[in-house]
Amino acid sequence: MSLARTQGFLFRKYAVYFVTLVSVALLASGCISLYVAYRENRAAQVALQHEKARAAADKIEQYIKEIEHQIGWTVLPPAVSVDRLNRQRRLDYLKLLRQVPAITEVAYLDPRGREQLRVSRLELDVVGSQRDFSHDPRFTATRAGQRYFGPVYFRKATEPYMAIALPLDRGVTVVEVNLKFVWDVVSNIRIGQAGHAYVVDAGGQLISHPDISLVLQKTNLAALPQVASALQHANENLPPVSTEHNAIDLQGNSVLTSSAAIATLGWIVFVEQPLAEALAPLYASALRSVVLLLLGLMLSVLAGVTLARRMVTPIRALQAGAEKIGAGALDHRIQVDTGDELEVLAEQFNRMATQLQASYADLENKVQDRTQQLELANRAKSRFLAAASHDLRQPMHALGLFVGQLHAMIQSPQARKIVDQIRASVEAMEQLLNALLDISKLDAGVLSPQLEDFPLNRLLQRMETHFAHTAQAKGLRWRIMPCRQVVRSDPLLLERIVMNLVANAVCYTTCGGIVIGCRRRGAYLRVEVWDSGPGIPQEKQREIFQEFIQLNNPQRDRGHGLGLGLAIVERLARLLDHRINLVSRLGHGSCFSIELPVGNTPQAQPPPRAQTSASNPLSGLFVVVIDDEILVRSGTEGVLRGWGCHVLSAGSGDELLALLAAHERTPDLIISDYRLRENENGIEVINRLRTHYATPISATLISGDTAPERLREARDSGYPLLHKPVSPAKLRAMLNYLLSEMGKPAEPPAEATIQL
Amino acid sequence: MIIEYRAADWDREKLPFLAEELVERQVDVIVAVAEASVNAVRSASSSIPIVMPFSGDPAGSGLVTSLAHPSGNVTGLSLDVTPEIGGKMLQLLKETAPKIRTVTLWWKSRFASYPEQVRHMQASAHRLGVRLNEIKEHSLQEVEAELAAIDRHPPHALVVMADPPTSAARELIAATARKHRMPTMFSQRLYVDAGGLISYGPSLTHNFRRAAVYVAKILKGANPADLPIEQPTKFELVVNLTTAKALGITLPPGILVRADEVIP
């Protein structure tokens, strides 16, 4: 998972949560306040309209009532003659016209519905016209003692009139009233810019409207929802509704409207205002709210982002810290100072890291301890091997020297045969010891390979001379494929590898044969050793390269060696960086091979090593021998004397110096055991002698020690080192070498050092 | 507010120039009193609102499309009263002076509503038992000539339908009438103020007041095209008590009750 993506996601998530929360709250409150404001505004507008409508209705009603009241004054007492009555009534009517300018005409209908008197502002006054009104609504409607309000009509297109009939004086008084006053009242009602009032009668007919042409067109508004509703309420004597929600005007536009009924006339006054205008202040406030809301939203976004960042920062610190700790930086500590659960969490993380660190350190200590123990065990093993081989070497060394002496002395062929057998046994033992020593040396890491280019054939020839006889003696077919290839390796170490492999093949093969051949593989040459032995099972093929592992030798017959051959092979191959391969089939045989880098043809063959000639250059040399083991001392002394040397031997440096004090001659050679008694060593003794005589006397160290540290010390001293047991031949070769190098800087022969 | 007055001094020829002058001054509203001046101003501008305090028959003469909705720049009030008022005038004169038998009607078809009123007057003359003679003067000079003729052969009573020439000669008319103890009836109180006996008709004062209301509405932003032309609703009966006494007439109670104003 991408870390950046995760971080971004957390941040976005928190930011979105915050913003959504605040936005929803703001929106909700904004909407609620808008709705409340809408309701209140609308209610206030309706209330205002209702007030105006009510006031107008009251005015109109009052106006009509006043007219009725004035008409009431015309009631006359019963009079004797009709004529006088008419005269009196006429005067009253004239007065009425004076009192009420809106009345244009007054007429009196007798109980039969005949017009007895008519007084008019415009027309001729008429008395006793006897016109029949008995079927006129002005007469019929008032028969039951009711007032009558006629329909509104217009004179000259602009003057609204209405007849009012009142039952008076047993007859009916009919007046024609100019309703311009009503029109004035209605026209004067203004609400806002476009708001106005109008009046409809009980049938929904428009009576008064600021636009008089609508009235003249006899517009009926009963179809408008608000009018229909108000009329229904008025007809059913229900309390009038103050407002109608889906009210519309004549053009079909939505309006806010309110009405008030004029009970006496059955008319209804409506006050209306276009909804858009009525709600304009509301829209303005809504706009303000929206602007505020937007501002609030912006603030909330800012706050949300900030809060989210503040929340996310410690979480990111936690995440980064956990990641670092997880990556192994156990000393890392997370710093969070939020003072909340996150800080607690960070502390727990830190505590966990501390515990981890502690247990990790504990583990490391344990590993270190274990490694140390292993090292100690390994060292102990090396020490054991070294000690064992040293202790075995001492008598072996002496034995070899004595056998050599004995062989020179014995003349009887029978005895000589026995001595030869003893010598063979000693040699076999020596080999076993050398193998042990080799392992010790390889483990000590004191070997440094000296790589050179050389023809492989030389090595193969040596195998021929070394093993052909043995193989043939066992009845095996023996074949070496010749090879002209030059390889790059350490010839001595390589020879040891091949020799071990061939020795194994010869040892373990009982029938069939052995073939040694080479194959070129690119830049490598592969030396293969084939045998028809018992074969090695697959699961054992790794195991055999370990120390002391021998297959097919459960009896641990030491005639088959100690099982160190392949262990040495493996160590040497690793040292030389050569690859060892094993192909084996159980019951069919094995093939060990080693891959060598192909080398360049060397310019010149190294000169053949100096061989001891028949002449004896050692005769007459003054050789001193220091060894704390008396047997070894006397064995060595015997061999050296046999070679014609003058020998002086001692157990320690002090003893030797004491003996030498009786001799005037400076020793020619020093042979010293490496490890002496009382913590004295050969290097010190040699150095003392050299100092004593102030001459760099040639010297060689002999050691039975195989401990790697000792070997390293000996090597560092610069003196040649021979490993016990040293055969007389080896000793002689070393002495010859020292003799030839006398006076030159010491460069010990390789064979002597590597001892292979 | 600035009020500019322009008068043609009986010279109709001046009216177009005066109208042009006012239009050039870009006045907000023009109040045009007589029908001739309304026509002159209307010709000069079709956009400046014109208010007529009184006019004869604006719908009939084509000044406006309808009384309820004038639709142009002209509005105001009409004197186009119900024609029956002609008969009413004669009835009131007869009620004031019941003995009269011959009445001279002095009128000119200066206002669109006059002929119909006169027809009603003629129609009711028979019912009221009077004979109606007509004088149709044309100019101020002719008015004086007619007065001289009246002076020579006075009728029982005189009815004058108001117009500018007789209005100018109103005091002379009143004086001549008093000289011959002749009751007089006018369509405007102006004549009664000048010594005439009685007048009955729409109140010009009232009309001028109403005209002021129209001007106010227009100045407040109302569109003259939407302001309906009002008809006279107030008819005033004015009686000159001095003249009555001079004529030896006792005003009957019906007249006194009715009278809107009695000039002492």
Side-chain angles (χ1 to χ4, degrees), chain B residues 26 52 64 69 92 97 102 127 145 246 257:
Chain B
Q26 294 186 315
M52 322 173 285
V64 297
H69 207 90
L92 288 171
T102 59
R127 277 174 61 189
V257 163

mmCIF file with all atom_site columns, all heavy atoms in Angstrom, chain B residues 26 52 64 69 92 97 102 127 145 246 257:
data_model
loop_
_atom_site.group_PDB
_atom_site.id
_atom_site.type_symbol
_atom_site.label_atom_id
_atom_site.label_alt_id
_atom_site.label_comp_id
_atom_site.label_asym_id
_atom_site.label_entity_id
_atom_site.label_seq_id
_atom_site.pdbx_PDB_ins_code
_atom_site.Cartn_x
_atom_site.Cartn_y
_atom_site.Cartn_z
_atom_site.occupancy
_atom_site.B_iso_or_equiv
_atom_site.pdbx_formal_charge
_atom_site.auth_seq_id
_atom_site.auth_comp_id
_atom_site.auth_asym_id
_atom_site.auth_atom_id
_atom_site.pdbx_PDB_model_num
ATOM 1  N N   . GLN B 1 26  ? -40.979 71.858 -21.319 1.00 0.00 ? 26  GLN B N   1
ATOM 2  C CA  . GLN B 1 26  ? -40.943 70.493 -20.763 1.00 0.00 ? 26  GLN B CA  1
ATOM 3  C C   . GLN B 1 26  ? -41.569 70.427 -19.379 1.00 0.00 ? 26  GLN B C   1
ATOM 4  O O   . GLN B 1 26  ? -40.976 69.921 -18.426 1.00 0.00 ? 26  GLN B O   1
ATOM 5  C CB  . GLN B 1 26  ? -39.511 69.961 -20.710 1.00 0.00 ? 26  GLN B CB  1
ATOM 6  C CG  . GLN B 1 26  ? -38.920 69.780 -22.098 1.00 0.00 ? 26  GLN B CG  1
ATOM 7  C CD  . GLN B 1 26  ? -37.556 69.123 -22.060 1.00 0.00 ? 26  GLN B CD  1
ATOM 8  O OE1 . GLN B 1 26  ? -36.737 69.515 -21.237 1.00 0.00 ? 26  GLN B OE1 1
ATOM 9  N NE2 . GLN B 1 26  ? -37.324 68.177 -22.921 1.00 0.00 ? 26  GLN B NE2 1
ATOM 10 N N   . MET B 1 52  ? -57.795 67.642 -17.902 1.00 0.00 ? 52  MET B N   1
ATOM 11 C CA  . MET B 1 52  ? -58.890 68.562 -18.220 1.00 0.00 ? 52  MET B CA  1
ATOM 12 C C   . MET B 1 52  ? -59.768 68.665 -16.985 1.00 0.00 ? 52  MET B C   1
ATOM 13 O O   . MET B 1 52  ? -60.277 67.656 -16.513 1.00 0.00 ? 52  MET B O   1
ATOM 14 C CB  . MET B 1 52  ? -59.733 67.996 -19.359 1.00 0.00 ? 52  MET B CB  1
ATOM 15 C CG  . MET B 1 52  ? -58.953 67.282 -20.435 1.00 0.00 ? 52  MET B CG  1
ATOM 16 S SD  . MET B 1 52  ? -60.062 66.471 -21.621 1.00 0.00 ? 52  MET B SD  1
ATOM 17 C CE  . MET B 1 52  ? -60.631 65.060 -20.712 1.00 0.00 ? 52  MET B CE  1
ATOM 18 N N   . VAL B 1 64  ? -60.132 60.670 -25.997 1.00 0.00 ? 64  VAL B N   1
ATOM 19 C CA  . VAL B 1 64  ? -59.766 59.453 -25.271 1.00 0.00 ? 64  VAL B CA  1
ATOM 20 C C   . VAL B 1 64  ? -60.533 58.286 -25.881 1.00 0.00 ? 64  VAL B C   1
ATOM 21 O O   . VAL B 1 64  ? -61.556 58.500 -26.526 1.00 0.00 ? 64  VAL B O   1
ATOM 22 C CB  . VAL B 1 64  ? -60.088 59.563 -23.757 1.00 0.00 ? 64  VAL B CB  1
ATOM 23 C CG1 . VAL B 1 64  ? -59.277 60.664 -23.123 1.00 0.00 ? 64  VAL B CG1 1
ATOM 24 C CG2 . VAL B 1 64  ? -61.574 59.797 -23.540 1.00 0.00 ? 64  VAL B CG2 1
ATOM 25 N N   . HIS B 1 69  ? -60.935 54.018 -19.458 1.00 0.00 ? 69  HIS B N   1
ATOM 26 C CA  . HIS B 1 69  ? -59.523 53.777 -19.762 1.00 0.00 ? 69  HIS B CA  1
ATOM 27 C C   . HIS B 1 69  ? -59.094 54.689 -20.908 1.00 0.00 ? 69  HIS B C   1
ATOM 28 O O   . HIS B 1 69  ? -59.121 54.299 -22.070 1.00 0.00 ? 69  HIS B O   1
ATOM 29 C CB  . HIS B 1 69  ? -59.348 52.302 -20.165 1.00 0.00 ? 69  HIS B CB  1
ATOM 30 C CG  . HIS B 1 69  ? -57.973 51.810 -19.877 1.00 0.00 ? 69  HIS B CG  1
ATOM 31 N ND1 . HIS B 1 69  ? -57.621 51.240 -18.692 1.00 0.00 ? 69  HIS B ND1 1
ATOM 32 C CD2 . HIS B 1 69  ? -56.856 51.834 -20.640 1.00 0.00 ? 69  HIS B CD2 1
ATOM 33 C CE1 . HIS B 1 69  ? -56.333 50.928 -18.732 1.00 0.00 ? 69  HIS B CE1 1
ATOM 34 N NE2 . HIS B 1 69  ? -55.850 51.282 -19.909 1.00 0.00 ? 69  HIS B NE2 1
ATOM 35 N N   . LEU B 1 92  ? -86.538 73.465 -11.977 1.00 0.00 ? 92  LEU B N   1
ATOM 36 C CA  . LEU B 1 92  ? -86.152 74.268 -10.816 1.00 0.00 ? 92  LEU B CA  1
ATOM 37 C C   . LEU B 1 92  ? -86.517 75.741 -11.032 1.00 0.00 ? 92  LEU B C   1
ATOM 38 O O   . LEU B 1 92  ? -86.968 76.445 -10.110 1.00 0.00 ? 92  LEU B O   1
ATOM 39 C CB  . LEU B 1 92  ? -84.657 74.134 -10.568 1.00 0.00 ? 92  LEU B CB  1
ATOM 40 C CG  . LEU B 1 92  ? -84.223 72.766 -10.003 1.00 0.00 ? 92  LEU B CG  1
ATOM 41 C CD1 . LEU B 1 92  ? -82.692 72.651 -10.005 1.00 0.00 ? 92  LEU B CD1 1
ATOM 42 C CD2 . LEU B 1 92  ? -84.759 72.558 -8.587  1.00 0.00 ? 92  LEU B CD2 1
ATOM 43 N N   . ALA B 1 97  ? -90.088 80.268 -9.890  1.00 0.00 ? 97  ALA B N   1
ATOM 44 C CA  . ALA B 1 97  ? -91.020 81.299 -10.368 1.00 0.00 ? 97  ALA B CA  1
ATOM 45 C C   . ALA B 1 97  ? -92.146 80.607 -11.139 1.00 0.00 ? 97  ALA B C   1
ATOM 46 O O   . ALA B 1 97  ? -92.089 80.465 -12.374 1.00 0.00 ? 97  ALA B O   1
ATOM 47 C CB  . ALA B 1 97  ? -90.284 82.292 -11.282 1.00 0.00 ? 97  ALA B CB  1
ATOM 48 N N   . THR B 1 102 ? -93.136 82.124 -20.764 1.00 0.00 ? 102 THR B N   1
ATOM 49 C CA  . THR B 1 102 ? -92.182 82.088 -21.867 1.00 0.00 ? 102 THR B CA  1
ATOM 50 C C   . THR B 1 102 ? -90.760 82.165 -21.303 1.00 0.00 ? 102 THR B C   1
ATOM 51 O O   . THR B 1 102 ? -90.491 82.954 -20.413 1.00 0.00 ? 102 THR B O   1
ATOM 52 C CB  . THR B 1 102 ? -92.378 83.264 -22.854 1.00 0.00 ? 102 THR B CB  1
ATOM 53 O OG1 . THR B 1 102 ? -92.230 84.478 -22.136 1.00 0.00 ? 102 THR B OG1 1
ATOM 54 C CG2 . THR B 1 102 ? -93.716 83.180 -23.533 1.00 0.00 ? 102 THR B CG2 1
ATOM 55 N N   . ARG B 1 127 ? -94.264 69.809 -20.671 1.00 0.00 ? 127 ARG B N   1
ATOM 56 C CA  . ARG B 1 127 ? -94.814 69.245 -19.426 1.00 0.00 ? 127 ARG B CA  1
ATOM 57 C C   . ARG B 1 127 ? -94.885 70.281 -18.328 1.00 0.00 ? 127 ARG B C   1
ATOM 58 O O   . ARG B 1 127 ? -95.761 70.230 -17.458 1.00 0.00 ? 127 ARG B O   1
ATOM 59 C CB  . ARG B 1 127 ? -93.925 68.074 -18.939 1.00 0.00 ? 127 ARG B CB  1
ATOM 60 C CG  . ARG B 1 127 ? -94.257 66.745 -19.625 1.00 0.00 ? 127 ARG B CG  1
ATOM 61 C CD  . ARG B 1 127 ? -93.260 65.687 -19.206 1.00 0.00 ? 127 ARG B CD  1
ATOM 62 N NE  . ARG B 1 127 ? -93.320 65.463 -17.762 1.00 0.00 ? 127 ARG B NE  1
ATOM 63 C CZ  . ARG B 1 127 ? -92.420 64.708 -17.098 1.00 0.00 ? 127 ARG B CZ  1
ATOM 64 N NH1 . ARG B 1 127 ? -91.402 64.159 -17.784 1.00 0.00 ? 127 ARG B NH1 1
ATOM 65 N NH2 . ARG B 1 127 ? -92.542 64.541 -15.803 1.00 0.00 ? 127 ARG B NH2 1
ATOM 66 N N   . ALA B 1 145 ? -75.587 92.252 -28.656 1.00 0.00 ? 145 ALA B N   1
ATOM 67 C CA  . ALA B 1 145 ? -76.713 92.514 -29.548 1.00 0.00 ? 145 ALA B CA  1
ATOM 68 C C   . ALA B 1 145 ? -77.952 91.762 -29.072 1.00 0.00 ? 145 ALA B C   1
ATOM 69 O O   . ALA B 1 145 ? -79.070 92.328 -29.027 1.00 0.00 ? 145 ALA B O   1
ATOM 70 C CB  . ALA B 1 145 ? -76.350 92.073 -30.961 1.00 0.00 ? 145 ALA B CB  1
ATOM 71 N N   . ALA B 1 246 ? -84.943 91.360 -5.093  1.00 0.00 ? 246 ALA B N   1
ATOM 72 C CA  . ALA B 1 246 ? -85.067 92.426 -6.082  1.00 0.00 ? 246 ALA B CA  1
ATOM 73 C C   . ALA B 1 246 ? -86.134 92.078 -7.106  1.00 0.00 ? 246 ALA B C   1
ATOM 74 O O   . ALA B 1 246 ? -86.846 92.943 -7.605  1.00 0.00 ? 246 ALA B O   1
ATOM 75 C CB  . ALA B 1 246 ? -83.718 92.624 -6.784  1.00 0.00 ? 246 ALA B CB  1
ATOM 76 N N   . VAL B 1 257 ? -84.511 74.119 0.623   1.00 0.00 ? 257 VAL B N   1
ATOM 77 C CA  . VAL B 1 257 ? -83.997 72.849 1.182   1.00 0.00 ? 257 VAL B CA  1
ATOM 78 C C   . VAL B 1 257 ? -82.898 72.277 0.273   1.00 0.00 ? 257 VAL B C   1
ATOM 79 O O   . VAL B 1 257 ? -81.900 71.743 0.727   1.00 0.00 ? 257 VAL B O   1
ATOM 80 C CB  . VAL B 1 257 ? -85.150 71.844 1.337   1.00 0.00 ? 257 VAL B CB  1
ATOM 81 C CG1 . VAL B 1 257 ? -84.632 70.424 1.497   1.00 0.00 ? 257 VAL B CG1 1
ATOM 82 C CG2 . VAL B 1 257 ? -86.016 72.215 2.531   1.00 0.00 ? 257 VAL B CG2 1
#
